[in-house]
């Protein structure tokens, strides 16, 4: 059976990590399924490579191809700070309604992490992907648009916003919040996980973040009453009876909880900005973004991605770590039913860590490790997979 995989190289180290990763992915499918399954790679242009070839950062041809796609995977795309184009990753999320950013975070044995017990970190973050302050409704300081909006708010809602302010809007809908939480609970049910925690800042932003909490509890009660129970009910003496416990935490408190009691959390459902912060912070607890996979999903399209940045200072030097891209590809393979191949990639990475032969970023976190190039690391992973029994 053939599976079409659309791929975007990405900017910066994108070319380096793809050169290392693609042979590993192909080897995993070949060895796991002995030619019965095949990946058909089709490149799509986006970012700086697209601009050089087409004069557009996100060409219409790319958008057209993704309209009928089931899966795609991309490297990191550059985003200027404070000027220029908005994030291409955000543009893809909004264009294709990729409302769920899903990032599993777990520790690979042998990596010296920033916390004493990284093995206790095993969480999957479901981050709402299309609303919140990432919706892009903001206006620069002292512009006519900002002044008009500020004047409207001051005059009609008795506010006292300074006229020279930059200003943004934080839209959040019941529909958007509920479908994100629904997906998180479905994931917990499917994988027999003990809890889903709603992370929000509802004590301050009562009608946006607070509504996320409220709507999340409503989804659990209305649609999953047979398999969920609230933490409050458990505290009051109710028997959880192997049900999924629905919790909620204030966002700033959750950062502390993730550090001191990570084993108490398995699935996190949260808003867009909170999820951005939290997923990176959790990745830091297990070795950094170089080991963090992710996917942006709608109900019909899944775009998997390396979750780190473009690292322009090391681009082209063949020193980058391809593991984020590879672990995301493992998620992709599992998504299309090629679980054995996805597991093989994860196992190969662990084997190389066990042997202490890794790229330079991982070598800094593993005692007495041997540093190899990005391309050499890819070859080592491929060799590991070809030695496996399936």
């Amino acid at each position: 059976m053939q599976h079409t995989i659309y791929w975007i190289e990405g900017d910066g180290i994108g070319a380096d990590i793809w050169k290392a990763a693609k042979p590993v992915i192909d080897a995993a499918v070949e060895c796991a399924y002995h030619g019965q399954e095949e990946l058909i790679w089709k490149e799509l242009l986006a970012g700086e490579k697209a601009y050089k070839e087409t004069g557009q950062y996100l060409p219409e041809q790319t958008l057209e191809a993704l309209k009928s796609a089931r899966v795609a995977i991309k490297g990191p795309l550059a985003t200027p700070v404070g000027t220029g184009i908005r994030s291409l990753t955000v543009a893809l999320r909004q264009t294709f309604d990729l409302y769920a950013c899903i990032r599993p975070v777990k520790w690979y044995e042998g990596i010296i992490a920033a916390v004493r017990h990284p093995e206790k970190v095993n969480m999957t973050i479901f981050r709402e992907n299309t609303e919140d302050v990432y919706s892009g409704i903001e206006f620069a300081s002292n512009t006519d648009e900002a002044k008009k909006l500020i004047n409207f708010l001051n005059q009609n809602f008795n506010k006292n916003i300074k006229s020279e302010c930059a200003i943004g809007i934080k839209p959040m809908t019941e529909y958007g919040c509920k479908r994100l939480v629904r997906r998180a609970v479905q994931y917990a049910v499917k994988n027999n996980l003990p809890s889903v925690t709603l992370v929000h800042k509802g004590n301050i932003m009562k009608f946006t973040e607070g509504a996320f909490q409220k709507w999340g509890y409503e989804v659990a009660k209305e649609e999953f009453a047979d398999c969920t129970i609230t933490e409050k009910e458990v505290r009051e003496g109710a028997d959880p009876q192997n049900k999924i416990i629905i919790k909620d935490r204030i966002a700033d408190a959750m950062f502390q909880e993730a550090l001191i009691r990570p084993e108490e959390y398995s699935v996190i459902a949260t808003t867009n900005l909170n999820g951005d912060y939290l997923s990176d912070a959790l990745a830091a607890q297990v070795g950094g973004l170089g080991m963090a996979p992710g996917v942006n999903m709608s109900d019909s399209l899944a775009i998997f991605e390396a979750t780190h940045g473009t690292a322009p200072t090391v681009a082209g030097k063949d020193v980058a770590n391809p593991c984020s891209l590879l672990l995301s590809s493992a998620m992709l393979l599992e998504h299309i039913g090629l679980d054995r191949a996805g597991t093989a990639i994860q196992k190969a990475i662990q084997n190389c860590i066990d042997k202490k032969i890794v790229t330079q970023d991982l070598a800094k976190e593993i005692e007495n490790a041997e540093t190899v190039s990005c391309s050499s690391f890819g070859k080592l992973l491929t060799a590991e997979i070809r030695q496996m029994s399936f």
Side-chain angles (χ1 to χ4, degrees):
M1 183 175 179
Q2 293 182 332
H3 305 267
T4 298
I5 310 297
Y6 292 98
W7 67 286
I8 295 171
E9 182 178 273
D11 300 323
I13 60 172
D16 296 343
I17 60 177
W18 267 114
K19 184 178 179 181
K22 279 181 67 179
V24 179
I25 302 166
D26 285 330
V29 174
E30 176 191 343
C31 294
Y33 298 98
H34 308 290
Q36 294 181 346
E37 307 283 352
E38 181 184 5
L39 303 183
I40 306 299
W41 295 95
K42 293 187 178 182
E43 184 176 8
L44 300 177
L45 296 177
E48 294 170 358
K49 185 175 183 179
Y51 188 78
K52 289 177 182 177
E53 295 191 22
T54 70
Q56 297 176 300
Y57 285 101
L58 193 56
E60 190 62 34
Q61 298 94 314
T62 295
L63 297 175
E64 282 298 316
L66 290 173
K67 285 180 181 178
S68 58
R70 180 187 174 195
V71 293
I73 184 167
K74 70 179 191 65
L77 292 169
T79 302
V81 177
T83 187
I85 59 169
R86 287 195 176 274
S87 166
L88 294 176
T89 299
V90 172
L92 288 169
R93 291 169 181 171
Q94 293 181 346
T95 300
F96 296 102
D97 197 26
L98 306 172
Y99 65 87
C101 179
I102 306 169
R103 294 187 178 181
V105 180
K106 71 174 184 177
W107 179 64
Y108 280 76
E109 186 175 355
I111 295 176
I112 300 175
V115 295
R116 285 183 294 177
H117 293 288
E119 73 280 0
K120 294 182 179 181
V121 179
N122 190 359
M123 302 183 212
T124 301
I125 301 98
F126 281 71
R127 166 192 171 193
E128 201 291 316
N129 228 2
T130 61
E131 301 185 335
D132 201 355
V133 293
Y134 280 65
S135 58
I137 307 172
E138 63 173 354
F139 305 99
S141 172
N142 288 314
T143 60
D144 290 341
E145 295 88 350
K147 290 177 180 179
K148 185 182 293 186
L149 180 55
I150 291 167
N151 185 58
F152 176 81
L153 293 171
N154 288 343
Q155 289 186 1
N156 292 276
F157 296 99
N158 196 31
K159 301 301 177 182
N160 187 27
I161 305 170
K162 295 181 179 180
S163 62
E164 66 270 22
C165 282
I167 192 165
I169 295 178
K170 179 185 176 77
M172 292 174 60
T173 65
E174 179 178 358
Y175 173 78
C177 294
K178 281 189 171 182
R179 67 176 177 174
L180 184 279
V181 175
R182 180 181 300 114
R183 192 150 199 164
V185 177
Q186 288 171 340
Y187 179 87
V189 171
K190 179 181 178 181
N191 293 281
N192 195 30
L193 297 171
S195 68
V196 174
T197 303
L198 310 172
V199 176
H200 59 90
K201 192 61 179 170
N203 58 330
I204 303 299
M205 291 170 276
K206 300 181 185 298
F207 306 119
T208 50
E209 300 272 333
F212 177 86
Q213 179 217 38
K214 171 178 174 288
W215 292 327
Y217 276 119
E218 287 178 358
V219 168
K221 182 178 180 180
E222 295 167 3
E223 302 181 26
F224 302 95
D226 59 331
C227 59
T228 66
I229 188 171
T230 67
E231 187 178 39
K232 180 180 178 183
E233 290 173 320
V234 174
R235 285 199 304 263
E236 291 174 347
D239 185 353
Q241 297 178 333
N242 297 318
K243 291 184 175 181
I244 296 165
I245 299 174
I246 306 297
K247 310 175 182 182
D248 78 270
R249 297 289 183 270
I250 301 298
D252 46 328
M254 185 62 211
F255 278 88
Q256 175 174 273
E257 289 290 293
L259 286 168
I260 64 178
R261 281 182 284 270
E263 69 277 8
E264 295 184 11
Y265 302 93
S266 51
V267 178
I268 305 296
T270 189
T271 55
N272 205 333
L273 184 59
N274 290 334
D276 197 356
Y277 295 151
L278 190 57
S279 56
D280 283 15
L282 287 173
Q285 291 182 218
V286 297
L289 287 174
M291 298 297 294
V295 59
N296 302 293
M297 299 184 72
S298 69
D299 291 329
S300 58
L301 172 64
I303 300 182
F304 298 79
E305 64 178 353
T307 60
H308 53 69
T310 59
T313 58
V314 297
K317 297 182 179 180
D318 196 24
V319 298
N321 177 3
C323 284
S324 178
L325 184 63
L326 282 166
L327 292 171
S328 296
S329 74
M331 290 178 67
L332 184 155
L333 293 170
E334 291 167 3
H335 181 71
I336 62 175
L338 305 184
D339 300 60
R340 294 202 301 272
T343 300
I345 290 172
Q346 296 177 56
K347 185 177 179 182
I349 291 172
Q350 183 65 71
N351 288 350
C352 284
I353 293 173
D354 290 342
K355 293 178 179 179
K356 300 187 176 185
I357 307 174
V358 290
T359 51
Q360 66 173 11
D361 63 319
L362 292 176
K364 296 174 183 176
E365 299 173 351
I366 301 173
E367 291 183 352
N368 302 316
E370 176 186 344
T371 299
V372 294
S373 66
C374 178
S375 56
S376 294
F377 190 55
K379 292 174 183 177
L380 289 170
L381 293 170
T382 300
E384 289 288 336
I385 289 170
R386 294 198 181 283
Q387 294 172 13
M388 293 179 187
S389 299
F390 292 91

